[in-house]
């Protein structure tokens, strides 16, 4: 099952609504980015945690669907720093896989390279 980033996003209207772009996906890995607009900000004027989570979750989905059809069964996220700038970047990497389950880590950084969140996910 080889899906291109454009084919993957074509089916994900929520990711398109947020402005998420997948730059690479393949062999259990994916990279994505999104430009931050005023629609992505919370009441304090910083990037909403749900936006950061959504970027990580879409990147996780792209990574775990590169070779098989998979669905997330568990996720968690740790917010580590306030993002600065106008771009968020996400990198998903498969950590382990068995016949039925695979584990992934997604690091979300701002444009300065600061790690702002670390997301873990398990796919079935």
């Amino acid at each position: 099952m080889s899906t291109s980033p454009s084919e993957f996003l074509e089916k994900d209207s929520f990711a398109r609504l947020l402005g998420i772009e997948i730059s690479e996906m393949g062999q259990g890995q994916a990279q994505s980015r999104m430009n931050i607009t005023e629609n992505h900000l919370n009441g304090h004027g910083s990037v909403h945690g749900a936006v950061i989570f959504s970027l990580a979750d879409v990147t996780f989905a792209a990574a775990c669907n590169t070779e098989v059809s998979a669905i997330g069964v568990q996720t968690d996220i740790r917010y580590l720093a306030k993002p600065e700038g106008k771009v968020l970047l996400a990198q998903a990497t498969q950590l382990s896989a068995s016949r039925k389950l695979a584990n992934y880590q997604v690091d979300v950084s701002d444009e300065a390279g600061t790690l702002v969140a670390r997301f873990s996910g398990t796919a079935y």
Side-chain angles (χ1 to χ4, degrees), residues 8 15-16 25 31-32 40 43 47 54 61 66 70 80-81 108 113 115 119-120:
F8 182 79
R16 289 192 321 271
M25 61 186 285
Q31 291 181 6
S32 65
H40 298 119
V47 180
S54 295
T66 58
L80 305 170
V108 178
L115 181 64
F119 172 108
S120 299

Side-chain angles (χ1 to χ4, degrees), residues 32-104:
S32 65
R33 62 174 278 133
M34 73 184 301
N35 294 322
I36 301 304
T37 70
E38 66 180 36
N39 294 325
H40 298 119
L41 304 181
N42 62 23
H44 297 289
S46 58
V47 180
H48 200 292
V51 170
I52 297 169
F53 181 90
S54 295
L55 175 64
D57 190 49
V58 168
T59 311
F60 162 59
C64 68
N65 280 283
T66 58
E67 298 175 16
V68 297
S69 181
I71 186 155
V73 294
Q74 185 278 326
T75 64
D76 67 72
I77 193 166
R78 286 172 181 73
Y79 299 99
L80 305 170
K82 178 182 173 184
E84 302 293 337
K86 297 292 183 185
V87 177
L88 287 178
L89 306 163
Q91 170 70 50
T93 305
Q94 185 181 77
L95 302 176
S96 66
S98 67
R99 197 168 67 80
K100 292 189 178 189
L101 297 175
N103 295 291
Y104 294 81

Side-chain angles (χ1 to χ4, degrees), residues 1-10 21-32 58-68 91-92:
M1 174 181 166
S2 179
T3 303
S4 73
S6 61
E7 290 171 324
F8 182 79
L9 284 176
E10 183 178 300
E21 302 169 15
I22 298 173
S23 56
E24 291 183 33
M25 61 186 285
Q27 298 181 346
Q29 297 190 32
Q31 291 181 6
S32 65
V58 168
T59 311
F60 162 59
C64 68
N65 280 283
T66 58
E67 298 175 16
V68 297
Q91 170 70 50

